[in-house]
Amino acid sequence: MTKSATMCGIPWRLEDGGCAALPLPADDSIAHVARSHVTALLPALGLSVQDVDDIKLMVSELATNALQHGMPHDAPAGAELWVYQRDNGHGRDELVVKAFDTLRGWRPCDGGPGRPDHGRGLKVVDILTKGRWGHHPTRSRLGTPAVRGKATWFALPLPRTLRRRRAWRVGGPYAAKDLRTLLVQRGLDHLEQEDGEGMTVLTDGRGLTVRCEPAAFRWRAPSGAAGTLPIIDITEACERIVEICESRLG
């Protein structure tokens, strides 16, 4: 486990159910460092040699894209690599890899999901993931305070599911406390918590409501953005809620 991961309380083992998060250098070594980080995680996942090669290639492309197009010249370096598991919505686990950078917008010349003019590297990601990639506004995991920016991500199905319950408590009030802790670490420190019968509710005073039920998180924002995830997917729930808050800020 690296010093950075330890300081932020982020497990550096996917089977624990957390999110591996490490800093990336702001120089030409970024792709090599990103590959090294993610390669250390892959043996536990039961992936084929081809899948491992594809992931390393795509990680290199995300990291290079972050360096070339995601860090403003007048801003300090702040790229990060995030890796975690989540349910794909159909009862199967998938591996999620995200590269965080400090440029909130998506430069038009880079294109984006569904657009034909994005760079060669992201075309490779598009092909290998069959379109399962994208980008969204978010906040850093390693910055103190958390830095606003965006994450560019891809997801691939995993051949088997690893146990992910050990890192998080699954009782409603306890899961709510864990989720609130994760959100506060990302700079959302204005959340109020109210414990009720059978659930705990988190609110931010601006219309966002997160209901922490015995088996699931449910959230809704004034914009209409809403979602439901099982408590075991607390990492993904945190990501979705941070994205909603960042989208609202513009």
Side-chain angles (χ1 to χ4, degrees):
M1 186 178 297
T2 70
K3 180 178 180 181
S4 295
T6 303
M7 289 173 62
C8 293
I10 302 172
W12 181 231
R13 293 196 303 169
L14 293 181
E15 58 266 38
D16 279 346
C19 176
L22 290 107
L24 294 175
D27 56 42
D28 289 341
S29 69
I30 190 170
H32 170 74
V33 171
R35 284 196 306 272
S36 297
H37 285 332
V38 78
T39 299
L41 295 175
L42 300 181
L45 302 180
L47 296 162
S48 68
V49 173
Q50 184 61 59
D51 284 339
V52 169
D53 289 342
D54 288 349
I55 290 169
K56 289 193 290 187
L57 174 59
M58 290 190 288
V59 166
S60 295
E61 298 298 350
L62 288 195
T64 300
N65 183 72
L67 178 67
Q68 294 179 346
H69 305 294
M71 289 189 273
H73 296 302
D74 59 348
E80 301 175 8
L81 180 71
W82 307 341
V83 188
Y84 64 96
Q85 291 175 256
R86 70 183 179 196
D87 186 280
N88 67 358
H90 303 286
R92 295 288 301 275
D93 270 13
E94 61 183 6
L95 179 71
V96 182
V97 178
K98 297 187 177 185
F100 171 82
D101 64 63
T102 56
L103 184 68
R104 285 179 55 76
W106 188 264
R107 292 178 177 172
C109 62
D110 298 332
R115 294 181 58 177
D117 59 340
H118 54 71
R120 172 190 170 277
L122 296 182
K123 286 183 179 179
V124 170
V125 173
D126 187 51
I127 292 169
L128 293 178
T129 63
K130 299 180 181 179
R132 194 151 178 75
W133 73 281
H135 60 88
H136 60 81
T138 187
R139 296 189 181 194
S140 66
R141 290 177 171 273
L142 302 178
T144 305
V147 177
R148 299 178 69 192
K150 72 173 179 298
T152 305
W153 61 273
F154 69 81
L156 284 177
L158 289 172
R160 60 187 178 88
T161 298
L162 297 176
R163 293 183 62 188
R164 292 185 288 138
R165 293 187 179 276
R166 288 177 291 173
W168 310 110
R169 297 170 291 181
V170 296
Y174 303 107
K177 184 176 180 180
D178 288 341
L179 178 62
R180 187 178 185 279
T181 297
L182 291 176
L183 292 170
V184 168
Q185 289 174 349
R186 307 290 286 281
L188 305 182
D189 53 5
H190 47 271
L191 293 167
E192 298 291 335
Q193 179 173 326
E194 181 179 347
D195 296 322
E197 185 174 352
M199 76 175 68
T200 298
V201 179
L202 303 177
T203 57
D204 72 345
R206 290 175 287 182
L208 174 67
T209 301
V210 183
R211 297 159 59 94
C212 306
E213 301 175 358
F217 297 114
R218 303 181 190 275
W219 61 88
R220 180 173 294 277
S223 65
T228 302
L229 283 173
I231 284 176
I232 194 174
D233 271 325
I234 188 172
T235 299
E236 179 66 12
C238 178
E239 285 296 294
R240 301 272 189 92
I241 294 167
V242 172
E243 179 182 351
I244 288 172
C245 293
E246 285 300 288
S247 298
R248 179 175 57 193
L249 292 172

